[in-house]
Amino acid sequence: MITSYISHSECSFHDMGPWHPESPHRISSINQQLERSGLAQELMHYSARLVTDEQIYRVHPKAHVRSLELSQPDEGSPLVQIDDDTLIGPKTMHAAALASGAVVRGVEQVLKNQADNVFCAVRPPGHHAERVESLGFCFLNNVAIGVEHARHNFGIKRVAIIDFDVHHGNGTVDIYKNDPDVLVCSSFQHPYFPWRYADSEWDNIINTPLDAGCDGLTFRRKVEQSWLPALQMHRPEMIFISAGFDAHKDDPMGEVNLTEDDFFWVTKMIMDVAKTYSNGRIVSVLEGGYSLTALAHSAHRHIEALKGL
Ligand SMILES: [Zn+2]
């Protein structure tokens, strides 16, 4: 398998402070683990390009994006709080534009057959970003911007987004809840942040709530039962993954007890579906994961699976 790894050093320009778990160290810890293990050498490495305004505005209205840009403080001024735990700094929207731009580049690589699949090691994350509201460390919905690029520029019709972050992907659901061509499957600790969209009234939104303390076997059984029939019915031409690793047992935020092997397993399961319906096309995008060690090892296993190892 040709697996592309897309990242950018300037994603670190978004920095919410030394105490904040969504830190630039998250990506460097993944990079270090991939180097240490030798897996880095087996991947194709690319730099993210900046997303264009046109690509963003397919998902987020211009006025919302402008208001985010205007809320950025000047260099040297204090960060500006946009919700209880999300702060915007002078370079935040630059980093966000690289994060979304990485997904756009990944879509192009997969749909031009330059890569079998892609992992975007980017931040800020995106799955909590709703159409007109930014929250939960997220500003632009990176995955949705990639999905719209695939639909508008390559004529892809049916898409599946699979989100195994410990938090519900409310932003993605908000954007696609009335769009039956996009199937969204999300597993998440419940009840828990973001406290919305946990109940689905839409056929294309498959919510898979997990109790605190849920172990790997229960997770595997639940996602097989809820996701597989929906994916088989939907027959997606392309699959996106909101790859959050904060459901790991060592993560300080989530209370779900997955291990690296569970992330390997779920990635393999998604690859089987992609092989059957989607010509193997997968673009996976980093979301959460706040234990630097668990994040690095989990992302490593996820990428090993993508690579077909
Ligand atoms: Zn999360």
Side-chain angles (χ1 to χ4, degrees):
M1 299 291 274
I2 299 174
T3 298
S4 166
Y5 185 84
I6 307 181
S7 192
H8 201 292
S9 58
E10 292 176 10
C11 284
S12 66
F13 288 3
H14 168 60
D15 188 344
M16 296 187 280
W19 56 271
H20 202 291
E22 205 291 278
S23 82
H25 299 301
R26 297 178 60 237
I27 291 178
S28 36
S29 74
I30 296 173
N31 286 336
Q32 282 160 13
Q33 174 61 25
L34 295 177
E35 289 294 338
R36 233 185 341 251
S37 69
L39 184 56
Q41 292 170 32
E42 302 194 42
L43 308 173
M44 308 277 283
H45 293 263
Y46 295 92
S47 276
R49 297 181 182 134
L50 289 167
V51 74
T52 66
D53 287 345
E54 185 195 353
Q55 289 161 353
I56 300 176
Y57 299 157
R58 288 176 186 145
V59 172
H60 303 288
K62 186 175 181 178
H64 171 59
V65 179
R66 281 299 293 150
S67 84
L68 283 171
E69 286 164 354
L70 289 171
S71 63
Q72 291 183 116
D74 293 333
E75 203 73 57
S77 303
L79 302 176
V80 173
Q81 193 132 14
I82 64 163
D83 78 4
D84 285 351
D85 41 28
T86 308
L87 299 139
I88 193 162
K91 293 277 177 62
T92 294
M93 295 310 288
H94 175 73
L98 287 169
S100 294
V103 187
V104 167
R105 188 162 194 192
V107 165
E108 295 193 347
Q109 289 181 341
V110 164
L111 291 174
K112 290 177 177 172
N113 293 317
Q114 294 162 343
D116 293 304
N117 53 43
V118 175
F119 182 73
C120 299
V122 290
R123 52 178 292 282
H127 74 148
H128 294 306
E130 299 186 353
R131 206 173 273 286
V132 292
E133 191 172 351
S134 303
L135 67 147
F137 314 163
C138 299
F139 301 87
L140 302 176
N141 196 306
N142 305 322
V143 165
I145 289 169
V147 168
E148 292 315 303
H149 189 65
R151 295 167 99 188
H152 281 81
N153 289 46
F154 294 91
I156 292 290
K157 193 164 182 285
R158 290 182 316 281
V159 171
I161 302 171
I162 296 182
D163 184 334
F164 51 72
D165 190 279
V166 83
H167 303 98
H168 182 253
N170 63 290
T172 310
V173 170
D174 177 68
I175 292 161
Y176 289 114
K177 58 187 189 288
N178 294 313
D179 190 339
D181 285 336
V182 180
L183 175 72
V184 182
C185 301
S186 181
S187 60
F188 52 93
Q189 183 177 327
H190 178 69
Y192 199 31
F193 182 87
W195 316 109
R196 49 176 122 183
Y197 285 126
D199 295 315
S200 171
E201 53 196 86
W202 305 277
D203 290 343
N204 64 314
I205 307 296
I206 308 297
N207 280 340
T208 307
L210 307 171
D211 294 332
C214 170
D215 62 10
L217 280 179
T218 311
F219 166 78
R220 293 182 190 201
R221 186 172 47 78
K222 287 196 169 177
V223 302
E224 260 179 351
Q225 282 173 357
S226 55
W227 295 355
L228 278 183
L231 286 162
Q232 284 157 359
M233 196 118 87
H234 192 66
R235 305 172 70 87
E237 294 161 84
M238 183 164 184
I239 298 181
F240 290 74
I241 304 177
S242 268
F245 299 102
D246 42 10
H248 191 281
K249 64 181 175 51
D250 297 335
D251 193 275
M253 254 185 247
E255 296 165 298
V256 168
N257 292 322
L258 303 191
T259 65
E260 293 89 308
D261 287 343
D262 295 310
F263 294 116
F264 184 84
W265 175 86
V266 73
T267 310
K268 283 284 187 200
M269 190 204 82
I270 297 166
M271 286 179 70
D272 285 344
V273 175
K275 209 184 297 172
T276 307
Y277 301 108
S278 329
N279 207 9
R281 298 162 179 150
I282 295 176
V283 174
S284 176
V285 185
L286 181 65
E287 301 284 0
Y290 303 101
S291 153
L292 294 180
T293 310
L295 168 65
H297 287 110
S298 301
H300 180 267
R301 288 292 276 157
H302 173 64
I303 296 165
E304 266 186 339
L306 288 175
K307 180 74 190 144
L309 300 172

